[in-house]
Amino acid sequence: MEKKFQRELDSLDKIFDFTSEFISKNKIEESTAFSINLAIEEIFTNMIKYNSDSFNDISLSLKREGNELIICLTDFGVDSFDLTKSEAVDINQSLPERKVGGLGLHLVKNMMDKISYEYKNRNSKVTLIKHLEN
Amino acid sequence: MFDISLNQKGEVLLCGRFDASQVEKAEEVFNSVAQTSTVNFKDLDYISSAGIAILLSTHKRLSNTGDRLTLINMNKHISDVFRLAGLDRIFEIE
């Protein structure tokens, strides 16, 4: 399944509807569904944030190959920004030390089994892989 | 759908899906919290880093005056997210 979404936060409702359809068709369990939604939201919102000059839609594709779920988000005609090289979050810091931002990609890296980045012809593509148990 | 309200006890009630598109709506309520308060997650299905950032920012602001947020009734998925983020050591979670 593949669909393009306008690069605005209000697209999140449509994205969740799209992923719900995929989750339901593929009988994916609830905890994995939660992780999928969260990972997609975090990557999508980062793409909007770090390429704010672009007006191009962002593509989301979801497919299942055996016990692997493959999620791809592609941002077209943008500068390179490798989300996978984000600064690590120290989760052991105390409250005064903790920064408020930066948690999104930390969560994605911990919830997905693999994350990769590809930049070609001014298109940024993030691929997430999640192993499924059922 | 996302909803946020304050009940008569001063408890913040969250409902539905707290994603990045709901930040402004949530900030209006959390900015009005001025002392130790409880945030009730009973009817909250989902939260992303955008929602967590508002909670953390409010908790940090309150801690400057010795106050805090206590988070109650999280579902397992949300509780897992807080644990992965190391926030189970920052917030009091019941």
Side-chain angles (χ1 to χ4, degrees), chain A residues 100-133:
Chain A
V100 170
L103 264 180
L105 295 171
H106 167 82
L107 293 172
V108 175
K109 287 175 182 172
N110 280 279
M111 291 176 139
M112 296 289 114
D113 293 298
K114 190 178 172 191
I115 174 167
S116 60
Y117 177 76
E118 185 185 350
Y119 187 67
K120 199 173 175 183
N121 301 327
R122 291 192 50 75
N123 297 333
S124 260
K125 182 179 178 183
V126 176
T127 303
L128 308 168
I129 294 179
K130 178 78 179 167
H131 299 309
L132 302 171
E133 288 175 13

Side-chain angles (χ1 to χ4, degrees), chain A residues 9 12 16 30-31 34 37-38 41-42 45 91-96 98-100 103-104 106-107 110-111, chain B residues 17 19-21 45-50 52-53 56-57 59-60 63 77-78 81 84-87 89-90:
Chain A
L9 294 178
L12 287 171
F16 291 134
E30 204 183 325
S31 62
F34 190 102
N37 280 324
L38 189 138
E41 177 184 336
E42 302 296 350
T45 54
I91 63 168
N92 296 311
Q93 284 181 323
S94 63
L95 179 60
R98 278 300 286 259
K99 288 181 192 162
V100 170
L103 264 180
H106 167 82
L107 293 172
N110 280 279
M111 291 176 139
Chain B
R17 182 186 292 274
D19 62 40
S21 66
D45 303 317
Y46 171 90
I47 191 168
S48 64
S49 70
I52 292 172
L56 186 55
S57 154
H59 194 50
K60 280 173 85 86
S63 72
H77 310 308
I78 293 176
V81 170
L84 278 177
L87 294 173
R89 292 190 289 269
I90 297 277

Side-chain angles (χ1 to χ4, degrees), chain A residues 18-19 22 25 28 31 42-43 47 50-52 56 65 76 78 85 108 110 129:
Chain A
F18 178 72
T19 55
F22 178 84
K25 273 183 187 169
I28 291 169
S31 62
E42 302 296 350
I43 302 295
M47 283 176 161
Y50 290 107
N51 280 301
S52 54
N56 297 327
E65 286 183 0
F76 302 93
V78 292
K85 290 187 178 150
V108 175
N110 280 279
I129 294 179

